[in-house]
Amino acid sequence: MQRWPPDWPDITDERVLNAIARVPRAEFVPPDLREHAFSDYPLPIGYGQTISQPYIVALMTQLLRLKPDDRVLEVGTGSGYQTAILAELAREVYSVEAIRSLAEAARRRLRRLGYTNVHIRHGDGALGWPEHAPYDAIIVTAAPEELPPALIDQLAEGGRMVIPLGPEYAEQMLYLVEKRGGRVLPRPVAPVRFVPLVSPAVGASAGEDMDADDVET
Ligand code: SAH
């Protein structure tokens, strides 16, 4: 890819484009895949997981309409790339990751890059992170079949949540869910493909315990 960020016709929010320009994506990609860091597709990061495609990161971030004072919850830290983009645009970012090794690697990486407003916890993100709720924005980067009730509870009045919903390993729909006057208003945005949001039992059978413990930055 020649330009960074590329010229995506529907990504017009300058703050989002500036954040993408600032965050060094190559740092979040495995060393042997660095030459692909600025290509517009997802890449493997180990444990069967992927770093999301740059366009999808841009689209989801734009939909959140972040303000500098916002507090954000992310479910699915993965490489921490989306986390860094959020940290550029909001006050505090709380991110929950089900795979301990990924959570710890992302914490180290984000600390090394100088992010001080990011907090990472190993645990089941479907339960959110109630201690810091409510959140002005919630972003989910793995797909459940249905909206997790805890995440709706933890969304502030006037808050925005961006979440893919649908069956495992099939086409899913990206939703923008807003809470207004206590009502939950979901709007479909685009067809997408994400890894599934795993349940604690699946995580445990993959050799990962799912105790919620903080690996705070
Ligand atoms: N935004 C990340 C995307 C990683 S892929 C990036 O761009 O790097 C989705 C991530 O969600 C994976 O790391 C996966 O381990 C995690 N995940 C899946 N189910 C989860 C759950 N129940 N709670 C927290 N994280 C989960």
Side-chain angles (χ1 to χ4, degrees):
M1 203 171 269
Q2 301 291 315
R3 284 168 57 131
W4 192 257
D7 195 9
W8 293 301
D10 54 342
I11 308 297
T12 51
D13 185 330
E14 288 294 328
R15 291 185 72 227
V16 172
L17 290 166
N18 288 339
I20 296 213
R22 274 197 304 273
V23 175
R25 184 168 164 90
E27 300 284 340
F28 296 84
V29 165
D32 55 323
L33 294 173
R34 293 247 155 101
E35 65 191 282
H36 301 281
F38 300 98
S39 303
D40 209 358
Y41 40 77
L43 296 168
I45 55 170
Y47 308 92
Q49 306 304 323
T50 53
I51 176 172
S52 302
Q53 173 189 352
Y55 167 72
I56 292 292
V57 172
L59 176 66
M60 292 174 82
T61 308
Q62 178 170 273
L63 286 165
L64 290 176
R65 305 196 303 272
L66 294 175
K67 296 182 287 300
D69 254 1
D70 280 353
R71 298 164 67 259
V72 184
L73 173 69
E74 177 186 43
V75 175
T77 318
S79 66
Y81 177 67
Q82 171 81 70
T83 323
I85 301 282
L86 298 170
E88 294 274 347
L89 296 169
R91 179 152 61 97
E92 299 291 337
V93 181
Y94 298 89
S95 186
V96 186
E97 168 56 51
I99 298 177
R100 183 189 296 274
S101 311
L102 288 177
E104 288 176 353
R107 174 184 54 83
R108 281 194 300 273
R109 183 176 291 130
L110 290 164
R111 184 183 285 173
R112 177 166 53 78
L113 293 172
Y115 290 98
T116 54
N117 58 339
V118 165
H119 314 274
I120 296 177
R121 152 187 267 192
H122 166 240
D124 180 7
L127 305 176
W129 192 336
E131 289 81 355
H132 301 286
Y135 300 97
D136 304 296
I138 299 180
I139 181 168
V140 184
T141 69
E145 300 214 349
E146 288 169 19
L147 269 179
L151 300 186
I152 298 173
D153 288 348
Q154 291 172 33
L155 188 63
E157 171 64 27
R160 294 81 57 200
M161 169 161 43
V162 176
I163 181 169
L165 293 177
E168 284 188 22
Y169 303 113
E171 193 169 274
Q172 303 133 0
M173 183 58 75
L174 186 68
Y175 281 86
L176 172 64
V177 180
E178 302 198 56
K179 200 188 250 188
R180 271 193 242 130
R183 290 181 59 207
V184 175
L185 310 165
R187 175 165 74 81
V189 177
V192 287
R193 216 173 253 263
F194 278 84
V195 297
L197 191 82
V198 296
S199 70
V202 174
S205 69
E208 291 283 340
D209 77 74
M210 293 286 291
D211 297 341
D213 56 349
D214 295 0
V215 281
E216 290 267 353
T217 59

